[in-house]
């Protein structure tokens, strides 16, 4: 399930953006497609969010979803096996049934945590420019909503 942890951390900010910008009905439909393995690279959920015009979505305080990023995210979803897809779909369903105030990336990841054996997801807070609140980490660290990762040592 390590692939699920990586993919989930990557898609969480974009799911939160979709929930706030486009409404939960879009994500309910996506949850069903994830379970049925109909989310494939090139024809997946994130490409569908962009629509036919493929105009970027987001910006400001939200991550930007453009054609290249959507294609990469759909490719990540396509790599998940059946068990990982079921776990992801269950987490999306639980997240959407929860309070609206918890429909952010951290809220989504908290619903996924029980499906990730040996993985701990924390949401520490740090203040100031370029601040990071990190203890000992063995794995991959995802900071902010960006696409870059830094390997921990």
């Amino acid at each position: 399930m390590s692939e699920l942890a990586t993919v989930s951390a990557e898609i969480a900010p974009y799911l939160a953006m979709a929930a706030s910008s486009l409404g939960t009905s879009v994500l309910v439909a996506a949850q069903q497609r994830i379970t049925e393995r109909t989310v494939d690279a090139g024809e997946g959920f994130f490409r569908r969010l962009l629509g036919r015009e493929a105009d970027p979505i987001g910006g400001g305080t939200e991550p930007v979803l453009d054609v290249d990023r959507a294609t990469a995210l759909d490719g990540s979803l396509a790599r998940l096996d059946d068990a990982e897809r079921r776990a992801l779909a269950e987490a999306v369903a639980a997240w959407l049934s929860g309070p609206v105030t918890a429909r952010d990336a951290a809220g989504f990841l908290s619903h996924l945590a029980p499906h990730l054996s040996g993985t701990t997801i924390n949401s520490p807070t740090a203040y100031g420019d370029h601040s990071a609140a990190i203890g000992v980490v063995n794995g991959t660290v995802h900071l902010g909503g960006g696409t870059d990762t830094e390997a921990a040592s």
Side-chain angles (χ1 to χ4, degrees):
M1 293 264 178
S2 64
E3 183 72 17
L4 178 59
T6 301
V7 169
S8 298
E10 188 178 357
I11 67 172
Y14 298 96
L15 290 177
M17 177 192 63
S20 68
S21 302
L22 304 173
T24 57
S25 62
V26 171
L27 292 175
V28 169
Q31 183 244 347
Q32 184 64 33
R33 287 192 306 271
I34 289 168
T35 303
E36 295 172 350
R37 281 192 80 71
T38 55
V39 176
D40 297 318
E43 188 57 35
F45 169 68
F46 291 102
R47 284 295 301 262
R48 289 179 188 202
L49 281 182
L50 294 175
R52 294 184 186 270
E53 295 80 30
D55 291 330
I57 300 172
T61 60
E62 296 180 331
V64 175
L65 182 65
D66 59 15
V67 173
D68 293 337
R69 189 72 187 129
T71 301
L73 293 171
D74 286 334
S76 295
L77 286 175
R79 288 193 310 268
L80 298 178
D81 65 26
D82 289 341
E84 292 168 328
R85 284 174 180 266
R86 278 191 301 278
L88 181 61
E90 288 172 15
V92 169
W95 179 58
L96 292 176
S97 68
V100 172
T101 55
R103 289 204 187 124
D104 58 5
F108 167 69
L109 291 173
S110 71
H111 286 285
L112 193 64
H115 299 283
L116 304 172
S117 62
T119 301
T120 302
I121 298 174
N122 294 309
S123 297
T125 303
Y127 299 96
D129 290 341
H130 308 290
S131 296
I134 300 174
V136 176
V137 178
N138 295 312
T140 303
V141 176
H142 299 273
L143 298 173
T147 59
D148 294 334
T149 60
E150 292 291 328
S153 55

